[in-house]
Amino acid sequence: MTHDHDLELRPTPAQTEAALNPPPGRNGGDLVVETLAGLGATTVFGLPGQHALGMFDALRRSDLRYVGLRVENNAGFAADAYGRITGEAAPLLLSTGPGALTSLAALQEAAAASAPVLAISSQVPTAGLGGGRHGYLHELPDQAASFRGVVKSVHTVRTPSQIPSAIAAAWKSALTAPHGPVWVEIPQDVLLTGTSLPVVTALDATPEELPPRPELTALAAHLLSSASRPAIIAGGGVVRADASGKLRQLAEKLSAPVVTTFGGKGAFPWTHPLSLQSWLEDRHTTDFLEDADVLLVIGSGLGELSSNYHTFRPRGRVIQIEADLGKLESNHPALGIHADARLALQALLETVEPRRDETAPDRVRDLLAKVAARIASQELTLEQDVLASVRRALPAGSPSFWDMTILAYWAWSAFDAKAPNTMHSGQGAGGLGYGFPAALGAAVADPTRPVLAVSGDGGALYSVAELATARQYDLNVTWLIVDDGGYGILREYMTDAFGEATATELTRPDFVALAESFGVPGTRTAPETLETDLAKALASPGPSVVVLPAVLRMFAATHLGDG
């Protein structure tokens, strides 16, 4: 018996001819780049190393664009941002041992933020696999073990014929909700071994869909339709799933106020009458969400930052839609729905009954007025003016990438992202050095828009080497460095906790002169001239650095028992 789909598997005469006569001089490295191209990759990031040279040499024979950074961790951040902007799995090519391990912090950020990164590392020759100590340079007893607790999946290759399937499986894993980083490692000898295998052309690595179970969305729709005070918390999963339009439709259908988490910035329009914005580090907002009789949480695990440092105690019924099974009900009991945010929102849109609540916009306005009054009472005009200057200088459609710095902490709560998938920060894992290399990756993904990076002087020194990358590829990134002479947020934390700060003060370079030594224009600005200087830098093609010497303060967060 012949099935229709069997016929589709028969090669055409041209495919058969090509398969029987592969081009000479190919090796395992060629299988890597052919597989990536076959999966739809156009750009790869990375940094070469001794065991990986076969893979990098093969790039020369491919149409893939290579963007090389100066530090593996920064290459990982660039790939992370490329994945966030494009929604594609961003290939990250690395060497063995130290080169691989240096990428770990970036992969942790990608995992925390559900960014699709396809890391492909070399390994010691096959004889050294399995935990033996063969004395190879860069050798680890079990390299993959260093990544298993960080990435979604690990794939070890032992023969050239395994390369296409392993990379395709990793690609599928990276792009199946929740998105995330994956790890493939290929021994040096496998990359260098000649192959007579046909050129890789046809691969199916379609991500698996994660639809909600209909009995769960039916119950969720009933609870929301009959709620008196529904509210919605929208997390990064809404942005990753490109579901902000469906979120808006559902909120309007239910008259439900929406707050976005720091990872979900831009998932809901900032100035919408139902927008609670992002003031999660505020007791007024926490009280509002606790008062909801039905709270819909979409694409958030309600972790530390999204729960006002675990002070959030919902009193109503919680419905949690989450693609990461491990985060489902991990912090609060809920009607847990394991699903992709987009598919779940679609199911709810088709099932909920419209409810009218003319009081919802008034309650939203009252809450935002309380938040504004609380901030106004703290005499933080400089901080608010600086953030407002950044917002006015940055074109509405341009993405921004924020390091772990005081201005970023402000931006999480107070910055209008203007659109989904435009504001990104290192707050998933919280490591330093994310902003600038991530912005470089975004500029590679879309060179038509200027990109903004924001760092403190401490975080800037993590990634200052990438000024060379920005110049080499002429990337359209403006880097705002807020120079407060040290690790500003840690200075505040330590002073609050211990009365004085230790190990937070830094000797740092003249960032303007340093930028200019790389051939990158640098400007020293002041709060009064920041908007003009930043707008000018963003409007100029190519990389630029703007340095703002300023000591900013964090607004006082309010937790239980605070005013």
Side-chain angles (χ1 to χ4, degrees):
M1 182 177 177
T2 301
H3 298 281
D4 288 344
H5 64 261
D6 292 337
L7 300 176
E8 297 169 10
L9 299 179
R10 294 175 183 170
T12 65
Q15 288 172 322
T16 300
E17 176 66 21
L20 294 175
N21 297 282
R26 292 161 60 248
N27 58 22
D30 290 280
L31 293 175
V32 171
V33 298
E34 289 168 9
T35 301
L36 291 174
L39 290 165
T42 58
T43 303
V44 301
F45 299 87
L47 210 152
Q50 178 182 324
H51 293 146
L53 295 181
M55 186 162 56
F56 280 81
D57 179 61
L59 286 172
R60 183 168 52 87
R61 296 184 288 279
S62 83
D63 293 327
L64 294 173
R65 179 188 183 190
Y66 170 66
V67 179
L69 285 91
R70 300 307 195 267
V71 184
E72 288 87 355
N73 200 48
N74 295 335
F77 286 142
D80 164 305
Y82 187 94
R84 296 192 200 197
I85 294 294
T86 63
E88 303 166 7
L92 172 64
L93 307 186
L94 302 166
S95 192
T96 318
L101 295 176
T102 302
S103 73
L104 269 169
L107 295 176
Q108 184 190 2
E109 176 58 40
S114 298
V117 176
L118 174 58
I120 304 176
S121 157
S122 58
Q123 247 292 20
V124 297
T126 312
L129 297 181
R133 294 295 298 169
H134 290 257
Y136 292 113
L137 190 69
H138 308 325
E139 183 178 358
L140 289 164
D142 185 357
Q143 179 173 277
S146 299
F147 294 86
R148 284 196 185 96
V150 175
V151 299
K152 279 186 72 179
S153 58
V154 169
H155 311 257
T156 299
V157 167
R158 292 179 181 269
T159 66
S161 63
Q162 294 176 5
I163 289 174
S165 293
I167 292 177
W171 180 279
K172 181 176 181 177
S173 174
L175 289 174
T176 295
H179 293 175
V182 294
W183 184 259
V184 180
E185 55 179 23
I186 308 172
Q188 178 188 29
D189 54 327
V190 175
L191 289 170
L192 294 173
T193 297
T195 181
S196 58
L197 288 170
V199 173
V200 182
T201 55
L203 288 151
D204 181 12
T206 306
E208 294 176 14
E209 290 205 324
L210 188 59
R213 287 176 19 219
E215 74 276 16
L216 297 179
T217 52
L219 176 54
H222 170 73
L223 292 169
L224 289 164
S225 300
S226 54
S228 299
R229 296 177 311 282
I232 299 173
I233 299 177
V238 176
V239 177
R240 295 283 86 77
D242 193 20
S244 56
K246 295 186 186 303
L247 169 66
R248 179 174 180 168
Q249 290 177 50
L250 183 67
E252 291 174 348
K253 199 169 183 180
L254 293 170
S255 297
V258 179
V259 66
T260 61
T261 70
F262 305 150
K265 295 286 290 187
F268 194 74
W270 189 257
T271 56
H272 192 285
L274 293 172
S275 175
L276 298 168
Q277 301 179 356
S278 303
W279 291 97
L280 287 170
E281 283 190 61
D282 184 283
R283 190 64 217 171
H284 299 305
T285 303
T286 307
D287 289 342
F288 187 102
L289 296 172
E290 287 180 348
D291 185 56
D293 61 335
V294 179
L295 181 66
L296 175 61
V297 182
I298 316 170
S300 171
L302 290 181
E304 183 178 34
L305 297 181
S306 302
S307 61
N308 204 354
Y309 298 90
H310 296 303
T311 63
F312 174 53
R313 300 283 183 271
R315 293 190 296 273
R317 188 76 183 267
V318 178
I319 302 163
Q320 185 185 15
I321 295 166
E322 175 56 58
D324 186 339
L325 188 60
K327 292 180 180 176
L328 204 61
E329 292 192 75
S330 61
N331 286 304
H332 297 281
L335 170 62
I337 303 177
H338 183 219
D340 175 71
R342 183 180 181 84
L343 298 177
L345 282 167
Q346 182 61 40
L348 290 176
L349 274 172
E350 294 170 0
T351 319
V352 296
E353 296 295 329
R355 61 177 297 280
R356 304 306 309 159
D357 181 357
E358 305 298 336
T359 70
D362 294 333
R363 291 189 293 122
V364 168
R365 273 196 301 273
D366 289 346
L367 170 68
L368 294 177
K370 289 179 184 176
V371 173
R374 186 177 71 82
I375 296 296
S377 71
Q378 297 182 29
E379 298 180 358
L380 295 164
T381 306
L382 170 65
E383 290 76 6
Q384 294 179 84
D385 287 350
V386 166
L387 193 64
S389 293
V390 173
R391 180 61 279 176
R392 288 192 299 267
L394 182 67
S398 281
S400 58
F401 291 82
W402 303 70
D403 215 333
M404 299 295 285
T405 186
I406 286 179
L407 192 60
Y409 282 50
W410 270 94
W412 294 347
S413 292
F415 192 76
D416 177 3
K418 298 286 189 189
N421 205 29
T422 55
M423 180 183 167
H424 304 273
S425 70
Q427 57 88 31
L432 275 177
Y434 173 81
F436 185 52
L440 299 180
V444 171
D446 181 1
T448 67
R449 309 180 283 180
V451 183
L452 174 67
V454 181
S455 300
D457 55 289
L461 289 174
Y462 273 65
S463 42
V464 75
E466 305 310 336
L467 283 167
T469 302
R471 182 73 282 162
Q472 180 168 344
Y473 297 99
D474 200 28
L475 297 174
N476 204 10
V477 174
T478 293
W479 190 9
L480 173 61
I481 301 173
V482 182
D483 184 357
D484 66 2
Y487 299 122
I489 198 73
L490 300 179
R491 181 192 286 140
E492 280 209 13
Y493 286 166
M494 292 192 81
T495 303
D496 289 347
F498 310 116
E500 59 181 296
T502 304
T504 59
E505 306 314 298
L506 299 173
T507 298
R508 64 269 185 218
D510 177 339
F511 285 107
V512 171
L514 183 62
E516 290 174 345
S517 75
F518 283 93
V520 174
T523 302
R524 183 172 284 98
T525 191
E528 302 76 31
T529 55
L530 173 61
E531 181 183 346
T532 302
D533 289 339
L534 196 57
K536 181 180 177 183
L538 285 160
S540 303
S544 56
V545 170
V546 176
V547 181
L548 173 66
V551 178
L552 305 180
R553 292 188 301 134
M554 194 55 202
F555 58 81
T558 53
H559 305 312
L560 277 171
D562 294 341

